[in-house]
Amino acid sequence: MFSKEKIVQLEVQDVRYPTSKTLDGSDSVHTDPDYSVAYVTLTTGTGVSGYGITFTLGAGTDVVVKAIELLKKKVVGKSIHDIFTNYRAFYRSLTQDSQMRWLGPEKGIVHLATAAVTNAVWDLAARLANKPLWRFVVDIPVEDLVAMIDWSYTSDVISETEIVEMLSEGQSGKEERIKELEKDGYPAYITSVGWLGYSDEKVKRLTNEKLGEGWTAFKMKVGISQEDDMRRAELIRSLIGPDNKLMMDANQIWDVNDAITRMKQLKKYNPYWIEEPTSPDDVDGHAQISQALREHNIGVATGEMCQNRVMFKQFLKLHAMQFCQIDSCRVGGVSEVLAIMVLARKFGVPVVPHAGGVGLCELVRHYSMIDYVLISGKMSDRMCEYAEHLHEHFTDEAEIKNARYVLPYKPGFSCEMKKEAVEKYKFPDGSYWQN
Amino acid sequence: MFSKEKIVQLEVQDVRYPTSKTLDGSDSVHTDPDYSVAYVTLTTGTGVSGYGITFTLGAGTDVVVKAIELLKKKVVGKSIHDIFTNYRAFYRSLTQDSQMRWLGPEKGIVHLATAAVTNAVWDLAARLANKPLWRFVVDIPVEDLVAMIDWSYTSDVISETEIVEMLSEGQSGKEERIKELEKDGYPAYITSVGWLGYSDEKVKRLTNEKLGEGWTAFKMKVGISQEDDMRRAELIRSLIGPDNKLMMDANQIWDVNDAITRMKQLKKYNPYWIEEPTSPDDVDGHAQISQALREHNIGVATGEMCQNRVMFKQFLKLHAMQFCQIDSCRVGGVSEVLAIMVLARKFGVPVVPHAGGVGLCELVRHYSMIDYVLISGKMSDRMCEYAEHLHEHFTDEAEIKNARYVLPYKPGFSCEMKKEAVEKYKFPDGSYWQN
């Protein structure tokens, strides 16, 4: 089933976009991000390439690059067959290296590096199988797929037998759901109207523009000045009307009690969720906030900085997240994201992926498709984030039609960047940074 | 009060010891560690130096070094006066950099790098004040000290006012406690008799040797084969008798239910605690294990891989740790460790620092002294870990007398390494690694 061609090379590049100049992506704690990627290229002996990224905010991408170089020897010399016939062992060779695990384990820079490498491995595998990633995944026999994933530290909430049963049930109606996605795509919401560094004028213009395109769910950044947040929320709510969804994102700026106090004031604008109200590590804090806001019908969303399945397990079990925001680059790659989506299904929490950045929209749409086809089988209470930046640098751009993600069809995991983009923005020697 | 000399240089070196050859430090998941440090030297304009380390297990130390180089610009050009008159802002400039925080935040490689840098800053400050670190800290006026620490994300369990009150109470009897430490030192326990890679013969020889030296508390590694663990526990318990303490350390190898099952069998050897029974990220899992083992009088100890105050806050609040094992290099340095010790005091959990490795004994003894003099005021239910490796490479070696840590008296934070040790073991170009 899997290709036996050996991977003979792993190359990695530091690619940075000067987004801090326009304040695209600016929020309460990330005031001047330069959206960037560590970009991995794997090449086989016959010259087939697979591509992987991890997303960063600029400074330190070179450190991630160095961490990726350290992982090179775990990949080069192996074939997709070698890797995928015992993927769990391959994954653990990256995350549980006896010396390197001290640097994490399963968190921070080494885990971002792991994601870039495994994203490239899955991209290559899907290309060799001539399928888009989502299709490649849903076509793997359920028992094989479950055996590929590292479930360590999760057996207190779910057994592998239960997971196999759950996913086997998900096989019924699979082709119908795929047809539905082919026809109508997957629901999306838009973030790029309300970055914190944008003027009211710009927010107004962008919101009207997006309303005109058919968008029905909008996210704004909050967190520094309550007065500004109230004014901006009033502005956006007045533009989108009472029926469209408005989400708020605090990017971790508050302590628990601040979050509760401030959201109780902001509730008059009927927010659908508050995202990252406090530290991404604070399960108990999120549980307190969730409980306090439940009566106001405000959910708590988090996950883009949640480091691994062990943290997600606790957030889910302890009712600390009502929306599960998987990220495609933070948690070590495809198998770990699948583990988290299975846990979310177990606890009945909808998956609403984190996107934006560079390439994140391109990647996460595959996960929403997998969630619908194979895992939750639900779409009505879900949506996948979208932001309008930097898509043009990818060879398989995320496509939106009627404010919904179009089902990707090109082989691979959509991580490949255009050669001219890499040449221009690679850091520090690309033509953009040299000028 | 603080020196106004500018720091003009930050240098960092990768120093590795080939401990994997002797299996010193080997445990269930770290089967072949090469104990290593990223070693920072700060130098002032007048040529005074301060030293800092972070500990690693070998591979990846070069990535930590690169992360430290990225932090250089936050330190060079500042004086100890600049840094210490607003230490909280300085610390947050390291941990909350708008671009770099994506790589953590406050965890993994960037946080290990932060610890190496801040350890050097505190070493330099203490040297310039001509005091050992513990004395330098307990001499800072309480309100100033509290204002130096980043308490964000902790206000749901304790307020700064309460912390000031708590530490102000701790001022009474301070000098008496210091005299007591000068006279009798601080209780210690020993780990280096029971590394997992050691033969029964070696364990027996070392245990007898340490009993002869007056040690009364011993730690063994467990986790792979239950049969081996039972045999080794029986061996050590038979040697040390019923009254001495025996601790067990699983180094994260088990899932929650395995941990409970296996410890219920091992309880016949009367373990005082089980350390790291499962994932260091699993607060809820540790709480389950704690609850199940309570009736057997086995406590749960963890902390050496606990990433920051936010995680410790939850472990403490949710009764998931009965022993709080602070580490001197993982959590971002002195101010963060002080925050964690204050939280432990708030929840009535004893601090029993993690040591061993390279330099960790040299550093953590200062924290136990600070805990006794300033924070908990207790010593009877506490002890500080000790392992017998690599002390000879430091200029201010940890000293043990009657199985207790002697109060350090040399100025600084004891991070300085001997020049010849660095020359020999720096990686990859030191004389040891060249041969």
Side-chain angles (χ1 to χ4, degrees):
Chain A
M1 175 179 176
F2 298 115
S3 160
K4 291 189 177 173
E5 277 187 48
K6 299 276 186 215
I7 296 163
V8 296
Q9 195 176 49
L10 184 159
E11 285 179 295
V12 53
Q13 285 168 301
D14 176 345
V15 183
R16 306 191 193 185
Y17 295 91
T19 46
S20 57
K21 287 199 170 170
T22 50
L23 299 179
D24 297 339
S26 57
D27 64 49
S28 62
V29 303
H30 310 97
T31 47
D32 55 353
D34 281 335
Y35 280 173
S36 305
V37 291
Y39 181 52
V40 170
T41 305
L42 298 176
T43 312
T44 70
T46 55
V48 183
S49 290
Y51 304 90
I53 59 167
T54 197
F55 170 62
T56 61
L57 298 186
T61 312
D62 47 340
V63 184
V64 180
V65 164
K66 201 167 170 72
I68 290 169
E69 283 165 352
L70 216 59
L71 297 175
K72 193 183 283 194
K73 64 175 181 290
K74 313 262 186 187
V75 180
V76 171
K78 293 197 175 70
S79 69
I80 290 299
H81 177 84
D82 297 335
I83 292 172
F84 278 76
T85 48
N86 194 351
Y87 190 86
R88 188 185 289 180
F90 167 73
Y91 184 67
R92 290 181 61 89
S93 80
L94 299 170
T95 61
Q96 300 299 324
D97 177 284
S98 164
Q99 297 194 350
M100 282 184 67
R101 75 185 299 287
W102 186 264
L103 308 175
E106 301 186 68
K107 58 182 67 76
I109 287 172
V110 277
H111 219 39
L112 293 166
T114 298
V117 170
T118 62
N119 283 344
V121 163
W122 285 81
D123 181 65
L124 178 61
R127 282 168 186 261
L128 288 168
N130 202 31
K131 294 174 182 180
L133 189 271
W134 66 266
R135 177 93 235 187
F136 177 74
V137 169
V138 305
D139 282 352
I140 297 173
V142 163
E143 294 202 6
D144 294 354
L145 187 64
V146 173
M148 288 165 67
I149 296 170
D150 182 6
W151 298 105
S152 59
Y153 305 136
T154 64
S155 64
D156 57 316
V157 301
I158 196 164
S159 69
E160 287 189 48
T161 315
E162 189 182 342
I163 298 163
V164 170
E165 280 168 20
M166 182 193 283
L167 297 184
S168 299
E169 281 169 30
Q171 298 293 304
S172 100
K174 203 165 88 169
E175 292 306 323
E176 290 73 13
R177 287 195 293 280
I178 293 172
K179 286 206 180 73
E180 204 185 329
L181 290 172
E182 278 168 350
K183 186 167 159 284
D184 298 324
Y186 192 95
Y189 74 88
I190 194 151
T191 297
S192 45
V193 303
W195 299 120
L196 210 61
Y198 285 4
S199 66
D200 287 3
E201 200 48 49
K202 187 166 182 179
V203 170
K204 189 171 170 180
R205 176 171 59 74
L206 290 171
T207 305
N208 281 328
E209 210 175 285
K210 295 303 140 194
L211 272 170
E213 291 170 14
W215 292 89
T216 58
F218 302 79
K219 193 160 79 186
M220 63 178 285
K221 298 288 179 174
V222 297
I224 295 183
S225 149
Q226 181 76 351
E227 197 186 321
D228 286 352
D229 293 345
M230 296 289 279
R231 190 189 70 252
R232 286 156 51 91
E234 178 147 340
L235 170 66
I236 299 177
R237 179 54 82 194
S238 75
L239 295 170
I240 67 175
D243 297 331
N244 287 317
K245 286 191 175 79
L246 174 61
M247 286 81 73
M248 298 181 181
D249 186 354
N251 291 87
Q252 316 168 18
I253 202 170
W254 297 320
D255 272 30
V256 171
N257 296 323
D258 303 334
I260 294 169
T261 310
R262 292 186 58 160
M263 288 313 297
K264 282 186 175 173
Q265 284 186 282
L266 284 161
K267 75 167 196 256
K268 67 186 277 202
Y269 305 110
N270 192 22
Y272 186 58
W273 74 52
I274 175 64
E275 182 171 330
E276 292 202 308
T278 189
S279 163
D281 303 335
D282 198 349
V283 182
D284 179 64
H286 281 80
Q288 292 179 58
I289 297 165
S290 296
Q291 195 177 2
L293 299 181
R294 193 163 301 140
E295 61 175 315
H296 307 296
N297 282 318
I298 305 170
V300 170
T302 190
E304 73 187 69
M305 292 221 197
C306 188
Q307 65 216 30
N308 55 40
R309 71 197 173 286
V310 182
M311 293 300 288
F312 275 98
K313 175 185 79 169
Q314 297 172 82
F315 273 100
L316 291 162
K317 180 183 167 189
L318 302 176
H319 310 292
M321 59 167 62
Q322 287 73 58
F323 297 96
C324 176
Q325 296 183 303
I326 53 165
D327 179 274
S328 54
C329 298
R330 182 167 295 277
V331 296
V334 178
S335 63
E336 185 84 358
V337 175
L338 294 174
I340 293 161
M341 293 204 296
V342 164
L343 290 169
R345 155 78 196 271
K346 163 78 183 178
F347 289 101
V349 172
V351 167
V352 292
H354 167 244
V358 191
L360 300 182
C361 299
E362 278 63 32
L363 272 63
V364 288
R365 57 189 172 147
H366 289 272
Y367 288 119
S368 280
M369 308 300 171
I370 294 167
D371 182 52
Y372 184 55
V373 175
L374 185 70
I375 300 176
S376 75
K378 290 187 188 171
M379 185 158 60
S380 57
D381 58 347
R382 277 143 220 255
M383 48 191 178
C384 186
E385 185 167 15
Y386 184 74
E388 288 198 306
H389 309 290
L390 307 170
H391 302 289
E392 65 277 18
H393 302 287
F394 288 80
T395 61
D396 184 20
E397 252 181 83
E399 196 186 344
I400 295 285
K401 207 165 142 182
N402 303 322
R404 294 166 78 95
Y405 272 97
V406 174
L407 188 67
Y409 66 91
K410 289 190 187 169
F413 193 16
S414 313
C415 299
E416 186 183 3
M417 301 182 79
K418 291 180 183 162
K419 283 198 173 46
E420 57 273 25
V422 176
E423 285 310 309
K424 183 169 179 187
Y425 291 104
K426 67 186 180 190
F427 186 85
D429 52 340
S431 60
Y432 176 86
W433 295 106
Q434 287 294 310
N435 294 329
Chain B
M1 173 182 176
F2 299 114
S3 160
K4 291 189 177 176
E5 277 187 48
K6 297 276 185 216
I7 296 163
V8 296
Q9 194 176 50
L10 182 159
E11 284 179 298
V12 53
Q13 283 167 302
D14 176 345
V15 183
R16 305 191 194 185
Y17 293 92
T19 45
S20 57
K21 288 197 172 175
T22 49
L23 300 179
D24 296 340
S26 57
D27 63 49
S28 62
V29 303
H30 310 96
T31 48
D32 57 351
D34 281 335
Y35 280 174
S36 306
V37 291
Y39 181 53
V40 170
T41 305
L42 298 176
T43 312
T44 69
T46 54
V48 182
S49 290
Y51 305 90
I53 59 167
T54 196
F55 171 61
T56 62
L57 298 186
T61 312
D62 46 340
V63 184
V64 180
V65 164
K66 201 166 169 72
I68 290 169
E69 282 165 353
L70 216 60
L71 297 174
K72 193 183 284 195
K73 63 175 182 291
K74 313 262 186 185
V75 180
V76 171
K78 294 197 174 70
S79 69
I80 289 299
H81 177 85
D82 297 334
I83 291 172
F84 278 77
T85 48
N86 194 351
Y87 190 87
R88 187 185 290 182
F90 167 72
Y91 183 68
R92 289 181 62 88
S93 79
L94 298 171
T95 61
Q96 301 298 325
D97 178 282
S98 164
Q99 298 194 349
M100 282 185 66
R101 73 186 299 287
W102 185 265
L103 309 176
E106 299 186 73
K107 60 181 67 73
I109 286 172
V110 277
H111 220 38
L112 292 167
T114 298
V117 170
T118 62
N119 283 343
V121 162
W122 285 81
D123 181 65
L124 179 61
R127 282 167 187 261
L128 289 168
N130 202 30
K131 293 176 183 180
L133 189 272
W134 67 266
R135 178 93 236 186
F136 177 74
V137 170
V138 305
D139 282 353
I140 296 173
V142 164
E143 294 202 6
D144 294 353
L145 187 64
V146 173
M148 288 166 67
I149 296 170
D150 181 6
W151 298 104
S152 59
Y153 304 136
T154 64
S155 64
D156 56 317
V157 300
I158 196 165
S159 69
E160 287 188 48
T161 316
E162 188 182 342
I163 298 162
V164 169
E165 280 168 18
M166 183 192 285
L167 296 184
S168 298
E169 281 170 30
Q171 298 293 303
S172 101
K174 203 166 87 170
E175 292 305 321
E176 290 72 12
R177 287 194 293 280
I178 292 172
K179 285 207 179 75
E180 203 185 330
L181 290 172
E182 278 167 352
K183 187 167 157 286
D184 298 324
Y186 192 93
Y189 74 88
I190 192 149
T191 298
S192 45
V193 303
W195 299 120
L196 210 60
Y198 284 4
S199 67
D200 288 2
E201 201 48 49
K202 187 165 182 180
V203 170
K204 190 172 168 179
R205 175 171 58 75
L206 291 172
T207 306
N208 280 327
E209 208 175 287
K210 294 302 139 194
L211 273 170
E213 290 171 15
W215 292 88
T216 58
F218 302 80
K219 192 160 80 187
M220 63 179 285
K221 298 288 179 173
V222 297
I224 295 183
S225 149
Q226 181 76 351
E227 198 187 318
D228 287 352
D229 294 347
M230 297 288 281
R231 191 190 69 253
R232 287 156 52 92
E234 178 148 339
L235 171 66
I236 299 176
R237 179 53 82 195
S238 75
L239 295 169
I240 67 175
D243 296 331
N244 286 319
K245 287 192 176 79
L246 174 61
M247 287 81 74
M248 297 181 181
D249 186 353
N251 290 89
Q252 316 169 15
I253 201 170
W254 298 320
D255 272 33
V256 171
N257 297 322
D258 303 335
I260 294 169
T261 309
R262 292 186 60 159
M263 288 313 297
K264 282 187 174 171
Q265 285 187 282
L266 284 160
K267 75 167 194 257
K268 65 186 279 200
Y269 306 110
N270 192 22
Y272 186 58
W273 74 52
I274 175 64
E275 181 170 330
E276 292 203 308
T278 190
S279 163
D281 302 335
D282 199 349
V283 182
D284 178 64
H286 280 80
Q288 292 178 58
I289 298 166
S290 296
Q291 195 177 0
L293 299 181
R294 192 163 301 139
E295 59 174 317
H296 307 295
N297 282 317
I298 306 171
V300 169
T302 191
E304 74 187 68
M305 293 221 196
C306 188
Q307 66 215 28
N308 56 41
R309 70 196 173 286
V310 182
M311 293 299 289
F312 275 99
K313 175 185 79 168
Q314 297 173 83
F315 272 99
L316 291 161
K317 179 182 166 189
L318 302 176
H319 311 291
M321 59 167 62
Q322 287 74 55
F323 298 96
C324 176
Q325 296 183 301
I326 53 165
D327 179 274
S328 54
C329 297
R330 182 166 295 276
V331 297
V334 177
S335 64
E336 186 82 359
V337 175
L338 294 174
I340 294 162
M341 293 204 296
V342 164
L343 290 168
R345 154 78 196 270
K346 162 80 185 176
F347 289 101
V349 172
V351 167
V352 291
H354 167 244
V358 191
L360 300 182
C361 298
E362 278 63 32
L363 273 65
V364 288
R365 58 188 170 148
H366 289 273
Y367 288 119
S368 279
M369 309 297 171
I370 293 166
D371 182 52
Y372 185 56
V373 175
L374 185 70
I375 300 177
S376 75
K378 289 187 189 171
M379 184 157 62
S380 57
D381 58 347
R382 277 144 219 253
M383 48 191 179
C384 186
E385 186 168 13
Y386 183 73
E388 285 199 307
H389 309 290
L390 307 170
H391 301 289
E392 66 276 19
H393 302 288
F394 287 80
T395 61
D396 184 19
E397 250 179 86
E399 195 185 346
I400 295 285
K401 208 166 144 183
N402 304 322
R404 293 166 79 96
Y405 273 95
V406 174
L407 188 67
Y409 66 91
K410 289 189 187 169
F413 193 14
S414 313
C415 300
E416 185 183 2
M417 300 182 81
K418 292 181 182 161
K419 282 198 173 46
E420 57 274 24
V422 176
E423 285 310 310
K424 183 170 178 187
Y425 290 104
K426 69 186 178 189
F427 187 86
D429 52 340
S431 59
Y432 176 86
W433 296 105
Q434 288 295 311
N435 293 331

